[in-house]
Each structure stands twice: as C-alpha cells, then as structure tokens.
Amino acid sequence: MADTTPSASSLIIGEGVTFVGSITAPGRATVNGVVSGEITVHDLHIGVQGSVSGSIDAHTIDVHGSLAQNIVCHEHIMIHRNGAVSGKLDYAEIEIERGGQFMGQMTQHPADQVKSTAEPNKSRPKP
C-alpha cells in the first residue's frame, strides 16, 4: 500500500486543501489535506498531514495521519506509527504498527461479510 504513483483513476487532495462533501472514486484517493464527509473509494491513503472524517467505505485503508467517525474497510486497514483512527471501525483485517493509535469500537468480519455504509441503491466501486 506504499505505492504513491498516480494512476488514471487516482484522486489527490494536497496539503493545505480542505474538502467538505462526498467523494466517490473507483481507484485510489490520497489525502494530504483535510477531508470531511462521505467517502467511497477502493483504496484510501492518508498521508502524515492528512485528516479524514465522516462516513468512509473502502476496500483498503492506509493511515499515516488521522481517520475518524464511521469507517468500513472491506479488506485491510493499516495504521502506521504516526496514524490515529477513532470512531466505529468495521473491518476484515487490521494491522497496527507500534505507535499507531486506535480509539473507539471495532468489529471484525470475514471479508465477504463486511457491511457497506453505502445505501443499498448505490453501487460500490469495483477494483
């Protein structure tokens, strides 16, 4: 999950940028700024300066900064040593590096049983 090479379906929120609203992206979203709202992406990467809060639905999540509120991770979430996650986390697999922080409620499910935060009529992004 350390690859930061942009692809055709990448979204990058740079340092100093604040975004409030909904994001849906079929590929990877890299956040180095501040994002608040509803986020549905395949891969979410939060840089050291990045902060994401709201209703998050992703297959993989890589946290170097902060992530908060209602989080659904269908595959793997990695909280690095500088990372902090808080709120309600529903996940399939979790990895927390020494120094990484989690505060809140976490529920583990097999990957095919993690419930999406998206409404039933919304389609989830495909890999």
Side-chain angles (χ1 to χ4, degrees), residues 43-117:
D43 300 313
L44 178 61
H45 177 86
I46 303 168
V48 175
Q49 301 300 318
S51 175
V52 175
S53 65
S55 180
I56 291 84
D57 190 320
H59 284 264
T60 61
I61 302 174
D62 196 33
V63 184
H64 292 272
S66 67
L67 176 62
Q69 289 186 1
N70 190 25
I71 305 141
V72 174
C73 183
H74 298 274
E75 294 174 20
H76 181 260
I77 180 168
M78 173 69 181
I79 304 171
H80 293 271
R81 67 174 179 256
N82 296 325
V85 175
S86 62
K88 182 179 176 194
L89 172 63
D90 193 356
Y91 68 98
E93 295 178 1
I94 190 168
E95 192 173 343
I96 303 175
E97 193 174 47
R98 186 176 186 164
Q101 300 175 6
F102 178 83
M103 181 181 288
Q105 173 188 348
M106 60 171 64
T107 305
Q108 183 178 24
H109 297 286
D112 61 346
Q113 294 179 11
V114 176
K115 295 177 184 145
S116 176
T117 59

